[in-house]
PDB file of all heavy atoms in Angstrom:
ATOM      1  N   ILE D  25       4.125  -4.349   3.964  1.00 94.00           N
ATOM      2  CA  ILE D  25       2.793  -4.029   3.437  1.00 94.00           C
ATOM      3  C   ILE D  25       2.737  -2.610   2.886  1.00 94.00           C
ATOM      4  O   ILE D  25       2.136  -2.356   1.851  1.00 94.00           O
ATOM      5  CB  ILE D  25       1.720  -4.192   4.540  1.00 94.00           C
ATOM      6  CG1 ILE D  25       1.707  -5.628   5.065  1.00 94.00           C
ATOM      7  CG2 ILE D  25       0.340  -3.772   4.034  1.00 94.00           C
ATOM      8  CD1 ILE D  25       0.826  -5.816   6.286  1.00 94.00           C
ATOM      9  N   ILE D  41       2.185  17.108  -5.066  1.00 95.00           N
ATOM     10  CA  ILE D  41       2.307  15.652  -5.212  1.00 95.00           C
ATOM     11  C   ILE D  41       0.962  15.035  -5.560  1.00 95.00           C
ATOM     12  O   ILE D  41       0.848  14.189  -6.455  1.00 95.00           O
ATOM     13  CB  ILE D  41       2.860  15.032  -3.906  1.00 95.00           C
ATOM     14  CG1 ILE D  41       4.318  15.451  -3.704  1.00 95.00           C
ATOM     15  CG2 ILE D  41       2.731  13.506  -3.928  1.00 95.00           C
ATOM     16  CD1 ILE D  41       4.872  15.109  -2.339  1.00 95.00           C
ATOM     17  N   ASP D  55       0.943  15.734   9.548  1.00 93.00           N
ATOM     18  CA  ASP D  55       1.287  16.449  10.777  1.00 93.00           C
ATOM     19  C   ASP D  55       0.357  17.652  10.916  1.00 93.00           C
ATOM     20  O   ASP D  55       0.020  18.307   9.928  1.00 93.00           O
ATOM     21  CB  ASP D  55       2.747  16.913  10.708  1.00 93.00           C
ATOM     22  CG  ASP D  55       3.250  17.464  12.038  1.00 93.00           C
ATOM     23  OD1 ASP D  55       2.498  17.416  13.027  1.00 93.00           O
ATOM     24  OD2 ASP D  55       4.395  17.948  12.082  1.00 93.00           O
ATOM     25  N   GLU D  71     -10.219  17.280   0.007  1.00 93.00           N
ATOM     26  CA  GLU D  71     -11.644  17.028  -0.232  1.00 93.00           C
ATOM     27  C   GLU D  71     -12.087  17.623  -1.566  1.00 93.00           C
ATOM     28  O   GLU D  71     -12.765  16.970  -2.366  1.00 93.00           O
ATOM     29  CB  GLU D  71     -12.460  17.641   0.908  1.00 93.00           C
ATOM     30  CG  GLU D  71     -13.949  17.366   0.845  1.00 93.00           C
ATOM     31  CD  GLU D  71     -14.318  15.978   1.307  1.00 93.00           C
ATOM     32  OE1 GLU D  71     -13.712  15.482   2.274  1.00 93.00           O
ATOM     33  OE2 GLU D  71     -15.225  15.387   0.684  1.00 93.00           O
ATOM     34  N   PHE D 107      -6.770  10.422  14.702  1.00 90.00           N
ATOM     35  CA  PHE D 107      -5.714  11.241  15.305  1.00 90.00           C
ATOM     36  C   PHE D 107      -4.801  10.342  16.111  1.00 90.00           C
ATOM     37  O   PHE D 107      -5.246   9.533  16.925  1.00 90.00           O
ATOM     38  CB  PHE D 107      -6.291  12.317  16.217  1.00 90.00           C
ATOM     39  CG  PHE D 107      -5.223  13.045  16.995  1.00 90.00           C
ATOM     40  CD1 PHE D 107      -4.521  14.086  16.419  1.00 90.00           C
ATOM     41  CD2 PHE D 107      -4.877  12.642  18.272  1.00 90.00           C
ATOM     42  CE1 PHE D 107      -3.501  14.728  17.110  1.00 90.00           C
ATOM     43  CE2 PHE D 107      -3.870  13.276  18.983  1.00 90.00           C
ATOM     44  CZ  PHE D 107      -3.180  14.320  18.403  1.00 90.00           C
ATOM     45  N   LEU D 117       0.991   3.181  16.206  1.00 93.00           N
ATOM     46  CA  LEU D 117       0.957   3.670  14.829  1.00 93.00           C
ATOM     47  C   LEU D 117       0.322   2.628  13.918  1.00 93.00           C
ATOM     48  O   LEU D 117      -0.582   2.946  13.130  1.00 93.00           O
ATOM     49  CB  LEU D 117       2.370   3.995  14.342  1.00 93.00           C
ATOM     50  CG  LEU D 117       2.513   4.319  12.842  1.00 93.00           C
ATOM     51  CD1 LEU D 117       1.710   5.556  12.470  1.00 93.00           C
ATOM     52  CD2 LEU D 117       3.990   4.506  12.468  1.00 93.00           C
ATOM     53  N   GLY D 133      -5.881   7.032  22.904  1.00 66.00           N
ATOM     54  CA  GLY D 133      -6.668   6.806  24.100  1.00 66.00           C
ATOM     55  C   GLY D 133      -6.928   7.995  24.998  1.00 66.00           C
ATOM     56  O   GLY D 133      -8.073   8.351  25.272  1.00 66.00           O
ATOM     57  N   LYS D 167     -10.417  42.262  14.643  1.00 94.00           N
ATOM     58  CA  LYS D 167     -10.038  42.794  13.328  1.00 94.00           C
ATOM     59  C   LYS D 167      -9.149  41.805  12.574  1.00 94.00           C
ATOM     60  O   LYS D 167      -9.314  41.586  11.372  1.00 94.00           O
ATOM     61  CB  LYS D 167      -9.308  44.125  13.496  1.00 94.00           C
ATOM     62  CG  LYS D 167      -8.978  44.808  12.177  1.00 94.00           C
ATOM     63  CD  LYS D 167      -8.366  46.185  12.399  1.00 94.00           C
ATOM     64  CE  LYS D 167      -8.058  46.864  11.069  1.00 94.00           C
ATOM     65  NZ  LYS D 167      -7.461  48.210  11.265  1.00 94.00           N
ATOM     66  N   ASN D 176     -16.477  40.736   7.413  1.00 92.00           N
ATOM     67  CA  ASN D 176     -16.429  42.041   8.058  1.00 92.00           C
ATOM     68  C   ASN D 176     -16.437  41.925   9.582  1.00 92.00           C
ATOM     69  O   ASN D 176     -16.764  40.869  10.142  1.00 92.00           O
ATOM     70  CB  ASN D 176     -17.561  42.958   7.562  1.00 92.00           C
ATOM     71  CG  ASN D 176     -18.945  42.440   7.903  1.00 92.00           C
ATOM     72  OD1 ASN D 176     -19.238  42.109   9.043  1.00 92.00           O
ATOM     73  ND2 ASN D 176     -19.809  42.384   6.894  1.00 92.00           N
ATOM     74  N   TYR D 188     -20.261  32.634  22.635  1.00 86.00           N
ATOM     75  CA  TYR D 188     -20.426  32.883  24.071  1.00 86.00           C
ATOM     76  C   TYR D 188     -21.746  32.294  24.566  1.00 86.00           C
ATOM     77  O   TYR D 188     -21.817  31.691  25.634  1.00 86.00           O
ATOM     78  CB  TYR D 188     -20.403  34.388  24.352  1.00 86.00           C
ATOM     79  CG  TYR D 188     -19.022  34.992  24.450  1.00 86.00           C
ATOM     80  CD1 TYR D 188     -18.750  36.248  23.911  1.00 86.00           C
ATOM     81  CD2 TYR D 188     -17.991  34.324  25.096  1.00 86.00           C
ATOM     82  CE1 TYR D 188     -17.488  36.826  24.002  1.00 86.00           C
ATOM     83  CE2 TYR D 188     -16.729  34.891  25.195  1.00 86.00           C
ATOM     84  CZ  TYR D 188     -16.473  36.136  24.649  1.00 86.00           C
ATOM     85  OH  TYR D 188     -15.220  36.681  24.754  1.00 86.00           O
TER      86      TYR D 188
END
Side-chain angles (χ1 to χ4, degrees):
I25 300 172
I41 291 169
D55 189 4
E71 184 78 38
F107 172 82
L117 171 62
K167 185 175 181 180
N176 63 51
Y188 278 141

